[in-house]
Every structure is written in C-alpha cells, then in structure tokens.
Amino acid sequence: MVETQAFGTVRGQAVTAYTLTNAHGVRLTCLDYGATWLKLEVPIASGWQNLLLTSPDISGYADLGSYHGKTIGRVAGRIGAGKYAQALPANEGTTTLHGGPHGFSTLMWQAQAQADRLVFTRHITSAEDGFPGNIDVKVTYTLTPSDDVLIDFEAATDQPTLFNPTNHAYWNLNPGDDTIQNHQLTINSSQHFEVQANKVPTGELLANAHSGFDFARPTNLADALAIMQTTVEKGYDDIFLLTPHTPDMPIAKLTQGPRSVTMYSSRNALVVFTANAFGDELNFGAKTSRPYIGIAMEAQTASSAVSDPRYGDISLVPEQPRHEQIKYHFDY
Ligand code: G6D
C-alpha cells in the first residue's frame, strides 16, 4: 500500500511524503526532497512508534547542519583539501563534508512509488554539485515482509568521479523523550580512525579495546558517553573500521528494551555520531532536541579511501556502474 501526503515546499517546489506499509503494519515514509528517510514506524499496542528522529514539517529539512534522514552523496564524510586529484567544493572550512554544499541531501529527486519500494532518481551534472562527471543516481528504499528496510544506491557516470553514499538517519528507540543514553550498542569493529582537529582522518588506526570505543559486546551508551566526556566532542563523531565480514553478518546493533535495529553492509566503515551539540535550533517534535537525542550510524567505505587504496575504492568510472546497499532489520 502506498500513501502520499503534501509536505510543504522547498525553493518553490512541492515536496511529497510517500508511505509504504507491510503486512505487519510497519510503515516507512520518505520525502522526495533529499531522498530523505522521514519515519520508520513500528506497530505498538496504542498505535505506532517512530524509531527515527523526525522534524514535523519541511522547515526542519531545509537545515543542512544535522542531515537527519538525508541521503548523503556523492561522498559521505569528509574529504580534506588536496586529498583528491581535482578541487571539490568545500562547505566546512576547506573540507568537503557530505557531498559539499550541493550534495544529494539538498536536491529534489524524481519519485516513483511501488507496493514495496520507493525509487528516487536524479541526473546530477558536474556544474550542479561541483564534482567531476555527470551522474545518474538511483536510491531505492524497499520495505520487506520480514521487517527489513533495504537502501540501494546505484550510480553511473560519463567521467571518472567518486561515489560513497550513505543514509544519515538518527535513531532513538525510546517511546518517550529520553535520550539514547539508555540504549545498548554493539559494533563489529576493533579499530577506529585517528582524526585531525578538523575531523579529517590521518589514515592511522587506533585500537578500540580498553577505551570508550570498545563496542565489541552490547555496551550501555550512558557508560560509553561518560568515558567520552574527556574528548573535545564529549561524544562520538568517529569512523569505525569494520572487522572483515560477510554481508549476512551484522555490522552494528542498537537496542532499547524490546526494540532494536540491526544493520548490515558489505562496506568497511561505520560512522557513529551522537548529536553531541544538538540544541533548540532543531525540532524533532515530541523528542526534545538536546545532546544525545539521537544516534546516526552511517555505513560507508572509509573516507580515507579517497587517497589511500588500503581502505577501499570509492571511484566511479564510465561503463562501470556502482551499487551499494545498506540493510536494517527491526525487532519491536
Ligand atoms: C556526520 O561526522 C559528521 C558530523 O561531524 C556532522 O556534524 C554530522 O554528520 C551532521 O556524521
């Protein structure tokens, strides 16, 4: 079943929310603006519970600082100045963050709704977002009968360029207004990337063991965040290198009470960001915006891959389209 709802306008263009429902009553809602994941609602005794941080209206999505629910590309994370052979548009000092000032998250996409999937397509020219190459991109959200959401990211180009997309959903599995400090997190990782003051990775790896980065077993986020109070961020904004795994092995699991989200990806990194400095400039409806109100878990290829082939390949070249997938499974 597909339902549509008007969701305001951006730069004079009407934005539409599309909702899919599966046989269990799980509901997935996305916007054509930013190919944004708006809500993931699970059925509960009194109706539905949304597991995502969601702004009540389009004004929340015109803010580019939080990227909540947005499709991120061409390249997720940070590319430091000079790390790529060609100059890229910067939007954080001299760094290109999350696809730069005109990345995927800022664009209107063409939507096509089918019974179990929402397909967003976009032709993006080099003149439009400042990356080399004109690309055709397809982002497909599929809601399965077994309560999985798959996000497929596909791209083709006419010139060599970069492609390392992700989704920037923030999770909060609480029914009420509590933060994610009462959640447990597991990550299939034993190392994370050292970063410079501007958060661009140095290329060096640090061990997770015996530090606030050790999520090898289910770990209370309150305890972990307490350890991180000595850091500048006072929380997580970090790139975890995933332990080599097969696509059917979870890369991360977030749990609160009976609810959990388990993530799968064949890529080698997970960025975890715990909304460390969020304040009342953001509106998440009944969830009061403040530090730790949500946790973003962004599966991607390690951003160091842009200049260091040890960490993967994010190049996109003509005649060789790329396809990446992130899978989320929900228990509730
Ligand atoms: C990303 O790593 C970045 C953060 O620094 C940023 O603030 C956030 O997206 C919005 O996870």
Side-chain angles (χ1 to χ4, degrees), residues 64-68 72 77-78 92 97-98 168 170 199 233 236-239 271-274 276 278 296 298 300:
L64 302 178
S66 56
Y67 295 88
H68 51 294
I72 305 292
R78 293 180 168 81
E92 190 184 71
L97 171 64
H98 292 334
H168 211 300
Y170 291 81
K199 299 189 198 169
E233 282 279 339
Y236 297 91
D237 184 2
D238 288 285
I239 310 160
V271 170
V272 174
F273 175 59
T274 45
N276 310 313
F278 276 19
E298 311 153 46
Q300 57 200 255

Side-chain angles (χ1 to χ4, degrees), residues 3-310:
E3 292 161 78
T4 59
Q5 205 187 348
F7 201 78
T9 59
V10 172
R11 298 185 292 269
Q13 286 185 284
V15 177
T16 303
Y18 297 82
T19 301
L20 303 180
T21 306
N22 76 4
H24 296 154
V26 173
R27 304 200 297 206
L28 166 79
T29 302
C30 296
L31 300 179
D32 44 12
Y33 176 61
T36 300
W37 192 352
L38 193 73
K39 292 184 194 172
L40 188 287
E41 296 167 292
V42 294
I44 53 171
S46 56
W48 278 270
Q49 182 185 334
N50 179 18
L51 305 184
L52 286 181
L53 284 191
T54 299
S55 293
D57 59 61
I58 192 64
S59 64
Y61 293 92
D63 168 77
L64 302 178
S66 56
Y67 295 88
H68 51 294
K70 295 285 178 73
T71 292
I72 305 292
R74 304 182 188 194
V75 178
R78 293 180 168 81
I79 304 176
K83 295 271 183 191
Y84 185 54
Q86 303 189 37
L88 299 173
N91 55 341
E92 190 184 71
T94 57
T95 299
T96 302
L97 171 64
H98 292 334
H102 306 289
F104 292 0
S105 62
T106 68
L107 304 176
M108 275 297 295
W109 294 66
Q110 279 88 45
Q112 199 205 346
Q114 298 169 20
D116 67 345
R117 67 196 59 193
L118 302 172
V119 183
F120 298 100
T121 52
R122 190 66 159 73
H123 179 72
I124 302 167
T125 64
S126 176
E128 207 172 358
D129 74 352
F131 279 70
N134 304 305
I135 57 172
D136 285 293
V137 188
K138 179 156 96 168
V139 179
T140 306
Y141 291 79
T142 305
L143 175 62
T144 75
S146 44
D147 303 336
D148 299 325
V149 170
L150 311 179
I151 309 181
D152 288 278
F153 305 89
E154 295 166 79
T157 186
D158 63 355
Q159 298 286 328
T161 187
L162 298 170
F163 189 60
N164 187 17
T166 193
N167 181 278
H168 211 300
Y170 291 81
W171 304 95
N172 181 324
L173 310 183
N174 288 304
D177 188 24
D178 291 321
T179 69
I180 47 99
Q181 283 156 293
N182 63 359
H183 291 34
Q184 289 79 48
L185 177 64
T186 314
I187 307 175
N188 181 17
S189 167
S190 60
Q191 291 171 293
H192 61 282
F193 285 84
E194 181 184 65
V195 293
Q196 302 167 182
N198 64 2
K199 299 189 198 169
V200 174
T202 62
E204 297 302 315
L205 291 166
L206 302 170
N208 296 344
H210 313 298
S211 78
F213 293 88
D214 189 359
F215 291 96
R217 281 162 294 283
T219 302
N220 287 317
L221 277 168
D223 298 339
L225 285 164
I227 299 171
M228 296 300 281
Q229 294 308 304
T230 56
T231 64
V232 176
E233 282 279 339
K234 296 192 170 18
Y236 297 91
D237 184 2
D238 288 285
I239 310 160
F240 289 83
L241 182 70
L242 298 171
T243 303
H245 58 285
T246 54
D248 58 342
M249 285 168 64
I251 59 165
K253 182 170 186 177
L254 181 71
T255 304
Q256 202 287 313
R259 292 162 295 276
S260 64
V261 49
T262 309
M263 288 181 68
Y264 300 82
S265 154
S266 55
R267 286 143 95 200
N268 66 357
L270 184 76
V271 170
V272 174
F273 175 59
T274 45
N276 310 313
F278 276 19
D280 58 13
E281 73 285 3
L282 297 166
N283 178 3
F284 303 119
K287 295 232 176 348
T288 310
S289 179
R290 61 196 192 277
Y292 321 129
I293 190 60
I295 178 169
M297 300 189 290
E298 311 153 46
Q300 57 200 255
T301 301
S303 48
S304 294
V306 69
S307 57
D308 190 339
R310 287 179 301 167

